[in-house]
Every structure is written in C-alpha cells, then in structure tokens.
Amino acid sequence: MVAPLFLWLLHLLHASLVFLTVRFQKRRYLPPQPVTAYRSKLPKHLAIILVSYDAANPKHTEELYLECLVRVIKWCRALGIEQLTAYDAEGTLLGCSDLIRERLIHHGDPPTDESESELEYPLTPPLSEASESRSHSPDFEDFSVQLNVTTVCSFRKGSSHHRPRKVAVRRRAHHKRSSYNPLTLHIISRSASKAAIASAARFLLDEEFRRRQNSHDLDHVHSVLNFTHLTSVPGGLPSPDFMIVHHVHPQDPHPPLELHGFPPWQIALTEIHRTIAHDIAPLKHPNKSIPNLITEEAFCRALDEYAGAQFRLGR
Amino acid sequence: MTWILSWTVSLLAFIKAQIVILLLRVLSAGPIPRHVAFEMDGNRRFARLTGRRAVDGHSDGFHTLKRVLEMCMRLDIRCVTVYAFAIENFNRPPDEVGALMKLAEERLVEIAQNGALLSRYGVRLNVLGHRELLPMHVQVAIDKAEGMTRQNNRAILNVCAPYASRHEMTSAVQSVVQQALDKENFDSSLITEQTIEENLMTSLGGSPPLDIFIRTSGVKRLSGFLQWQCCENTQIHMVDTYWPDFGLWDFVPILLDYQRKVWARSSS
C-alpha cells in the first residue's frame, strides 16, 4: 500500500519537473535557421512518419496528413532533397494517393513559357537503388514480391536539373530558392514493413521450389537464400538518411519516441528526429486542441539537427 | 580524524545504496517492462574527456553494465539486451579490437561464475550475433560462460557481439526458408511476420518483445541494433549521457514514461 503511494508521488514529482523544464525551455526558445540557410549537410533521402491517435475522425486525419505532406514536399523541392518517403502506419496516405497527386498539381509550379510540370506514375516502380550484380538472379517476372511501395516521380521537362548530390556536400550560403527540383516520393504504410520481408521470404521459398522442380538439383540452395539482394530490387524502398516523426494531434506530455512500424530493414543508419512542441505550437497559439501541422520551424530544426550529426560508421 | 572521515564516507555510501534500493522497490510497484535494450555508446568519448585511452572507457563501460544490470534485476526486468560489439566495429584500430576481445573473454566468464552477478539473480547469458567472426579463444570463453548459466531461468541477458540487425533478419529469413525445405513443405503461405519473428536470435533465446530501447551518448540512430524488434510498440530513448555515466538519474524518467504509457493504454 505504501509503495504505490510513493510511486504516485514520484510520478507527480516527475510530471512537475517535466512541466517546469518545458516552461523554462519555452522562455529560452531559439528559433531554428531558415529553410534556405547554409547547412553543412542535407539528407539525400528524407522520411516523414505521420502519427495520429484520433481513430474516430479518419477524414480529418487524412486532411491533416495531406497538408503536412504537401508542406514537406514544398520544402524538399526548395532544398533539392531528391527523395521523400511518407509513412503512416494505417495506410491513410496510400489510400489517398490520387488526392496527393491533385494537391501536388494545385501547389505545384505555375506554368511557364518553357514547359509544364509533369507528374509521372510509372507502370512499374522505378529502380530505387543500384542492384549489385549477382550470379543467380531470381526471376521476378514469374513471382511477385509484395514490397508495397507506391512511388511518384516529379520532374520538370527542360529545366536544368541539379546534379546528384551526396549526403555531406557543402552548399553555397545563399542558394537561389527553387521549387523546380525533381523529387521522388515514396508512399508507404505498415504493409511495406515486416510484411514485405515476409513476402520476400515466401518468394525465396517459391523460387527454390520452382528451381528444384526444374533441375532436381537439391544440393545448391545457397544461391537462392541471398535475401539481401531482394531489398534492392525494383519497387523496393531505399534507406532514408533522415527521419522525422511528427504527431498531428498534440499530447501533453509528449509521448516517448516510437517508430510506429516503419520498415525495419531500411533504418540501420537513419538519423531520427521527432518534432518538438515549441516549433509546432508557439507561445502565441497555446490552444492545445488545435491539431499540429508540421511547421517550417519544426522542419528547419530537424534539418539543423541532422546537419550537426556525426557518423562514425562503426569506427 | 581520517577514520572519522572514512566512516562518514562509508555511512553515506550505505545510505545512498539503501535509498537506491528503496527507490527501485517503489518503482517496481508499477508496471515494469519485460525487455529493455541498451546501446552502450560513448565509452571512448567518456575516456577522452578524462584524458584516458579508449580501452579504459570500455572497462568503465563494463562496470556500468554490471551496475545497470543489477538495477534491472532488482526491478524484476526479465530480459536485458546490450549491444556490445557491432560487426562494423571490426574496422576499428586493431589494438582496440584486441582489447575489446580480451575484455569480452575475461569479463563474460567473470560475471557468469558461481556467486557472481548472473548466478546471484538467476540470469541466463545468451551471446547473439555472427559468432564465427570472433577469435577462437573468445568463442571458447563464450561457450564456457553460456554453459555456466544455462540452468538459470529467472532472467535473460543477451549480449549482442558481433551483431548487425540486418544479419539477424537475414538469418531469420534463411532459417525459416531452410526449415520449410527440410520438411519439404513448400506452402509458402505459412511464412508470415510471426514465423520470421520467432526465428530472430532474440526470440530463439527466449526473449519477450522489446518494450524500451535506450541509446546513450546523444546519437540519434539505431546503428544496426534490434531494428526489427524496436520498429513497433517500443519506446525509444536517446539520452545524452555517455554510457559509463548512465545511472538511475537517467533510467528513472524512462521507466516512469513506460509506466504512464501502460496506464494510458489500460484506461483507453
């Protein structure tokens, strides 16, 4: 009886300390650098995880997700970030990919004399990463591996494309803001996560069964069980350099970071950031019932953090 | 005068230890995670802060591991997983790798011996990873340490070394496929997320699902540690403290967050 009482007191003390810390941080709030500020490195592939705990209003959640995504796309194109992955566990974004297309056109570049912007939905998903050459390639035409990645490429005909950038590249301090940069958008849900790895495993077994039926050779199984190659095939999701986790509904206190089922294979070296309350709901809008759309401040703070991250890669 | 001083220091240390035990008892009145993972990062930077070699930092890190493990056992956390050595860490300077191998060889047997930490709390040791990459003398020591604790069944300590999550996931997939081939059961629909999960190294060692993932030293990446296990329903905490400095002050808020989550879930 005594221990639970002391535990309750401990929680009260902790909650009070957290409250005071947050208030103190709000008073010492320093805005991040603007979008176009110089940063020592930018992610080549950014992922955004959108989280909502409001299951009762799916339509409202869909609108919030769409608005957040459109904003992030705009900033990515301005910065020249080449790939963006948008994830939500329930598949809300996947379910409204047509709406995403319409929003992209609506918020896209105004028509110019040179050309019109064009959105392409390729018939088959584009190559996501260069595949390693391998001596025993599975025949993907006969069996489907359900990687469940929807990819949208946007490019502008006739525009000068920026040359591909690596992660750690110095950029000029005042680059010209441009919304014309090409962007590849991957839209995924939990179906692209562990389920995709299970699908790849099923494919391996089917492939081995087919091979044994054709050749009756039971000795050489090693060539098929080269699972790692499957994640670099067409339609696979490349690994993001940086991931932003954003909650569209405020919670007080902020819950600990979770990854909400994001594909596990791809996140070995992904830098992870969660948007913070100060950047989403500044002091002048303390109304906690207003949903949290991702703001430019939150996006910039995330980029500032990424620019400061160090990568030792095991050394 | 010196005996008064030393007596006072001993008394203060005793009082502090009792307060810690009391605090842990209070915490264990609420929900306790079943499985906590620690990515023990920052040993070398900690050593550099005090002008010492990286190897000294790893030694400090081991002492912290024993301290944190004891805390977890007092809290009745049934499974602890630690990232001791990544496959990529073989790229480090050879003398550092050699020192780490020596540390592993000596310390694993030390904590597994009769009367030592693992036997005191009934902890079974599992060393997970691509064991064949380790020098033979380290493999022998691991086999010995695991053998000493095989009968323990109160808790589990998974030491991942040398480990990479992609290697673990690949091994699980290969294992699942090989099992189907061995049974000549070619019905691939039987392969699901669950079957892969059951063949992960952590699951094969009897570990429950991961509740809390903690990485020290301020780095905000997983760096190839438990990617499958922590991508869903796991609270992830990236703390700024270097691993040798990690203690109750860092751990208590994490546990309180976990308890709040469990209570919120049970009330919704």
Side-chain angles (χ1 to χ4, degrees):
Chain A
M1 190 62 199
V2 177
L5 175 64
F6 276 109
L7 181 63
W8 181 83
L9 286 171
L10 188 60
H11 273 275
L12 187 63
L13 177 65
H14 177 241
S16 306
L17 285 172
V18 167
F19 174 77
L20 289 171
T21 306
V22 168
R23 296 288 291 185
F24 179 70
Q25 285 171 350
K26 275 185 180 173
R27 286 189 185 281
R28 297 183 52 139
Y29 176 76
L30 288 172
Q33 298 183 88
V35 166
T36 51
Y38 166 76
R39 293 180 173 89
S40 59
K41 59 180 189 282
L42 284 173
K44 197 174 169 186
H45 178 188
L46 170 69
I48 175 129
I49 298 180
L50 295 170
V51 184
S52 168
Y53 292 119
D54 186 16
N57 293 301
K59 198 68 195 158
H60 187 221
T61 299
E62 183 184 286
E63 272 302 316
L64 292 174
Y65 283 179
L66 281 175
E67 183 56 35
C68 287
L69 180 57
V70 164
R71 291 180 178 200
V72 172
I73 288 171
K74 183 181 80 174
W75 298 321
C76 285
R77 286 166 107 176
L79 288 167
I81 292 173
E82 296 168 4
Q83 291 199 73
L84 172 67
T85 292
Y87 172 87
D88 75 280
E90 297 79 19
T92 304
L93 288 170
L94 266 183
C96 58
S97 52
D98 287 340
L99 271 176
I100 292 170
R101 180 170 173 267
E102 282 171 28
R103 289 280 190 106
L104 283 175
I105 292 171
H106 179 67
H107 288 276
D109 310 316
T112 67
D113 292 334
E114 294 172 11
S115 63
E116 290 180 34
S117 61
E118 196 169 299
L119 289 168
E120 260 199 10
Y121 285 85
L123 289 174
T124 54
L127 281 167
S128 53
E129 286 176 344
S131 303
E132 298 168 283
S133 61
R134 47 194 185 272
S135 55
H136 302 279
S137 306
D139 186 350
F140 295 109
E141 288 174 3
D142 293 346
F143 293 96
S144 61
V145 182
Q146 291 167 319
L147 300 175
N148 299 315
V149 181
T150 296
T151 297
V152 178
C153 292
S154 87
F155 64 94
R156 195 173 177 80
K157 275 193 201 170
S159 65
S160 56
H161 292 281
H162 291 261
R163 59 186 165 83
R165 291 187 299 108
K166 297 187 180 122
V167 172
V169 165
R170 288 198 172 274
R171 306 194 66 220
R172 294 207 177 109
H174 301 288
H175 77 274
K176 185 180 170 184
R177 185 190 275 262
S178 166
S179 57
Y180 302 140
N181 294 318
L183 177 73
T184 300
L185 171 67
H186 306 286
I187 305 171
I188 58 170
S189 71
R190 205 191 165 282
S191 60
S193 182
K194 295 176 180 177
I197 296 178
S199 178
R202 287 192 290 271
F203 169 82
L204 281 174
L205 182 60
D206 291 338
E207 176 68 11
E208 178 61 15
F209 176 60
R210 192 176 74 109
R211 195 190 63 76
R212 287 186 180 193
Q213 278 196 316
N214 290 341
S215 72
H216 303 288
D217 183 354
L218 302 179
D219 292 335
H220 300 291
V221 297
H222 304 293
S223 60
V224 178
L225 300 180
N226 203 340
F227 169 71
T228 56
H229 290 157
L230 278 176
T231 56
S232 59
V233 302
L237 180 72
S239 298
D241 306 308
F242 186 41
M243 173 194 295
I244 300 173
V245 181
H246 177 71
H247 289 245
V248 297
H249 291 283
Q251 284 193 297
D252 194 17
H254 224 50
L257 172 68
E258 293 192 28
L259 298 181
H260 304 279
F262 192 90
W265 182 267
Q266 284 81 356
I267 54 175
L269 294 176
T270 304
E271 192 78 11
I272 303 169
H273 172 89
R274 189 183 58 187
T275 52
I276 61 173
H278 314 319
D279 293 326
I280 305 301
L283 275 172
K284 60 184 178 183
H285 294 298
N287 188 345
K288 293 291 184 199
S289 65
I290 296 176
N292 286 338
L293 292 173
I294 188 167
T295 60
E296 192 170 311
E297 286 80 11
F299 188 76
C300 292
R301 173 132 9 240
L303 292 182
D304 288 349
E305 193 171 284
Y306 180 78
Q310 293 179 341
F311 289 79
R312 284 179 297 277
L313 299 174
R315 284 183 289 276
Chain B
M1 279 301 288
T2 51
W3 71 265
I4 295 174
L5 193 64
S6 67
W7 182 83
T8 308
V9 167
S10 302
L11 180 64
L12 286 172
F14 174 77
I15 291 170
K16 183 187 167 192
Q18 294 307 306
I19 290 173
V20 167
I21 291 170
L22 204 63
L23 180 58
L24 294 175
R25 215 168 270 169
V26 166
L27 280 166
S28 53
I32 290 295
R34 298 156 296 175
H35 185 178
V36 179
F38 296 94
E39 189 156 355
M40 308 182 291
D41 197 20
N43 291 337
R44 294 184 297 174
R45 279 169 281 166
F46 178 80
R48 275 199 289 272
L49 278 179
T50 50
R52 294 178 298 146
R53 302 171 304 155
V55 167
D56 297 324
H58 292 307
S59 187
D60 292 340
F62 176 74
H63 290 297
T64 300
L65 169 60
K66 286 203 297 185
R67 187 163 38 82
V68 170
L69 189 60
E70 179 143 20
M71 266 194 274
C72 292
M73 293 304 111
R74 284 187 181 275
L75 285 165
D76 207 23
I77 294 172
R78 292 305 180 100
C79 184
V80 174
T81 301
V82 297
Y83 200 10
F85 195 84
I87 291 177
E88 290 79 21
N89 291 155
F90 280 112
N91 296 327
R92 289 186 177 179
D95 56 341
E96 185 182 341
V97 174
L100 281 166
M101 292 297 117
K102 189 163 180 287
L103 191 71
E105 182 186 4
E106 290 168 359
R107 299 289 189 239
L108 283 177
V109 172
E110 177 192 312
I111 62 170
Q113 274 169 350
N114 239 346
L117 182 63
L118 297 188
S119 76
R120 219 179 325 131
Y121 289 101
V123 183
R124 187 173 76 244
L125 173 70
N126 298 327
V127 178
L128 310 180
H130 204 342
R131 204 179 288 194
E132 297 74 27
L133 296 177
L134 294 169
M136 189 48 67
H137 62 95
V138 179
Q139 292 187 45
V140 168
I142 288 171
D143 286 339
K144 184 177 177 186
E146 283 184 331
M148 286 180 194
T149 62
R150 193 152 287 129
Q151 304 308 316
N152 296 342
N153 57 10
R154 189 171 164 262
I156 295 169
L157 170 64
N158 295 316
V159 175
C160 295
Y163 174 92
S165 196
R166 282 191 175 182
H167 170 254
E168 183 185 25
M169 286 187 275
T170 305
S171 300
V173 167
Q174 289 179 333
S175 181
V176 163
V177 173
Q178 192 63 59
Q179 284 166 30
L181 294 172
D182 290 345
K183 291 177 192 167
E184 294 193 353
N185 182 356
F186 297 104
D187 181 7
S188 60
S189 66
L190 295 175
I191 296 179
T192 62
E193 288 178 39
Q194 189 57 37
T195 47
I196 296 173
E197 173 120 13
E198 286 165 2
N199 281 271
L200 295 171
M201 291 175 189
T202 47
S203 305
L204 291 172
S207 305
L210 185 63
D211 292 310
I212 298 176
F213 177 106
I214 300 169
R215 178 167 191 166
T216 53
S217 87
V219 174
K220 296 191 165 68
R221 294 185 293 277
L222 303 181
S223 296
F225 186 40
L226 300 181
Q227 287 156 227
W228 177 289
Q229 291 86 338
C230 80
C231 75
E232 198 162 25
N233 291 324
T234 301
Q235 292 186 339
I236 297 174
H237 294 265
M238 313 284 197
V239 300
D240 292 334
T241 313
Y242 293 139
W243 175 250
D245 263 341
F246 186 85
L248 211 54
W249 187 251
D250 306 287
F251 201 20
V252 166
I254 292 171
L255 292 169
L256 294 176
D257 275 340
Y258 173 79
Q259 291 183 339
R260 254 205 315 279
K261 171 184 169 178
V262 171
W263 285 328
R265 201 170 267 176
S266 59
S267 64
S268 64

